[in-house]
Amino acid sequence: MNSVEKAIDKNYDTVIGGVELLDKAAEYIRRGELVAFPTETVYGLGADAFNEEAVKCIFIAKGRPQDNPFIVHVASPEGAAVAASYIPDEAYRLWEKFSPGPLTVVLPKSERMPLITTGGLRTVGIRIPNNEIALELIRRSGCAIAAPSANTSGRISPTRASDVYEDMRGRIPLILDGGQTDVGIESTVIDLTREVPTVLRPGAITAEMLAEVLGEVVNHKGKVVVAAAPGMKYKHYAPVVPCIGARTPEAAVRIASRYPSAVVMGESAFVKAVGGVSAIDLGSSPAECMRNVFSAMRDAEKIYSCIVLEDFSDKPEYYALNNRLSKSTGGKTEE
Ligand code: TXA
Ligand code: MG
């Protein structure tokens, strides 16, 4: 049975473990199998970026549409040379400041980079993750690793090995466990192939931070009219129960009262102002809330019949988080 047939067969006895499994994981990658691994943002579902059969297995395991490009993970700016045909000075300046880190830089793809990896695009998203297990997996395998988030297509991104197990059990041979991820939402994606560098997906590294290095950056405006980051057009981050935004604590209580059991999630002050209903305090800063939100949603959907999310539209420092939450709610929000 080749690896694609095996992936369709979904009969792996999935193993979870830590650094002691790194050599085995690296060998799986070299052999064209899939390995899930931690990064500082969310867990990735990795394959050798240059092995077309292996990359096909990612689509199968995720149930993902084939026009969605994968981010290629490398260990250093030097490692990016195999993935990109041309690396502009702007990319080196960004890496100097933010790498390793939660940033993906879109560049023209190299001849060798298969179109299946880039979703048919002539560009490639390259990222140097700030996680020792991820970096060591790249180094020991000797491969550039194509990896989307390790969730089933459309589901919440995984921030713990157990979340990956929930979605990928039996579909992949191995999950590297690096504990709960630190940043908690996916990397910022910036496209350097346009006239003006353009943020395609907001993240912990903000457009303002990028503009400080590059001079000028076009921010992601929330509405993607032409789906420039094709991933943004699909339904994302959707819990299995209804998920509704609330602009005020009063609205949160009102929404919660309509369901047999509901939980309200938001930053500390918001949650404290909500009385008489179950609530989860995500933290008192954007960094804390980003770190905790996906695992809280995954836990809550198993217990409650509705999730009420604080709507952060009025708080610019929560811009990236609100971008993800508005996808979970599908834009449904109440005053
Ligand atoms: O933090 C992250 O970026 C995580 C970890 C595992 O590294 N990965 C991740 O991958 O979020 P994924 O596949 O779930 O999301 C990748 C996003 C999509 O919105 C995709 O369209 C965009 O990046 N993207 C990738 N390559 C691109 C390209 N060449 N041009 C435009 N957008 C691209
Ligand atoms: Mg994803």
Side-chain angles (χ1 to χ4, degrees):
M1 216 191 285
N2 70 31
S3 54
V4 173
E5 283 163 354
K6 189 146 189 221
I8 292 170
D9 212 34
K10 295 181 185 136
N11 60 356
Y12 288 99
D13 193 6
T14 307
V15 175
I16 306 188
V19 287
E20 73 282 359
L21 290 180
L22 262 169
D23 280 327
K24 190 169 183 130
E27 203 198 315
Y28 274 133
I29 295 286
R30 275 196 304 275
R31 285 209 318 242
E33 301 262 8
L34 305 188
V35 170
F37 61 97
T39 78
E40 80 281 37
T41 57
V42 300
Y43 277 73
L45 182 60
D48 175 357
F50 290 100
N51 182 334
E52 300 193 28
E53 294 294 299
V55 172
K56 272 185 210 154
C57 292
I58 304 180
F59 291 114
I60 296 164
K62 274 187 74 88
R64 177 172 185 151
Q66 295 225 356
D67 63 341
N68 210 350
F70 296 128
I71 292 171
V72 174
H73 298 70
V74 297
S76 64
E78 295 73 52
V82 294
S85 63
Y86 170 69
I87 303 181
D89 184 47
E90 284 83 358
Y92 288 111
R93 287 193 346 244
L94 288 177
W95 286 328
E96 200 176 316
K97 178 105 194 223
F98 300 117
S99 104
L103 181 69
T104 296
V105 176
V106 174
L107 297 174
K109 82 169 192 72
S110 63
E111 252 332 287
R112 268 185 66 213
M113 181 59 66
L115 283 166
I116 187 158
T117 304
T118 64
L121 299 175
R122 295 270 152 209
T123 57
V124 60
I126 299 175
R127 169 157 136 70
I128 305 169
N130 186 16
N131 177 289
E132 252 330 293
I133 294 180
L135 291 171
E136 205 48 39
L137 181 64
I138 297 163
R139 291 187 201 112
R140 291 196 199 179
S141 65
C143 296
I145 298 184
S149 48
N151 52 283
T152 313
S153 191
R155 288 272 294 139
I156 303 163
S157 296
T159 55
R160 301 169 297 198
S162 57
D163 299 335
V164 179
Y165 191 71
E166 202 169 85
D167 285 16
M168 292 299 151
R169 172 186 196 170
R171 299 180 179 212
I172 60 173
L174 195 150
I175 299 168
L176 286 170
D177 186 352
Q180 173 137 14
T181 61
D182 195 36
V183 176
I185 71 167
E186 304 83 346
S187 62
T188 306
V189 179
I190 183 163
D191 187 350
L192 293 184
T193 68
R194 302 178 181 211
E195 195 131 342
V196 182
T198 302
V199 176
L200 302 180
R201 179 173 72 180
I205 295 176
T206 64
E208 291 71 26
M209 290 158 76
L210 295 166
E212 259 175 51
V213 176
L214 298 176
E216 200 186 4
V217 162
V218 174
N219 199 349
H220 168 82
K221 294 291 197 293
K223 280 187 200 137
V224 181
V225 181
V226 179
M232 304 302 276
K233 75 187 177 204
Y234 300 108
K235 195 173 177 217
H236 264 70
Y237 315 104
V240 295
V241 296
C243 193
I244 300 166
R247 280 188 183 260
T248 60
E250 297 71 40
V253 173
R254 182 168 14 92
I255 297 163
S257 72
R258 289 187 218 129
Y259 290 84
S261 69
V263 65
V264 178
M265 279 179 209
E267 60 96 33
S268 304
F270 188 91
V271 165
K272 284 201 186 86
V274 168
V277 292
S278 306
I280 297 175
D281 183 348
L282 296 175
S284 53
S285 67
E288 276 176 26
C289 291
M290 287 193 288
R291 186 181 305 131
N292 294 325
V293 68
F294 286 159
S295 54
M297 274 162 57
R298 284 214 180 227
D299 290 341
E301 68 179 11
K302 297 185 179 73
I303 302 170
Y304 300 98
S305 56
C306 174
I307 297 174
V308 184
L309 291 167
E310 177 178 358
D311 182 332
F312 290 98
S313 317
D314 295 338
K315 298 180 181 166
E317 67 278 22
Y318 286 86
Y319 183 76
L321 178 63
N322 210 50
N323 166 269
R324 303 306 193 279
L325 299 190
S326 65
K327 289 181 201 311
S328 297
T329 62
K332 243 185 292 155
T333 191
E334 297 187 19
E335 291 280 343

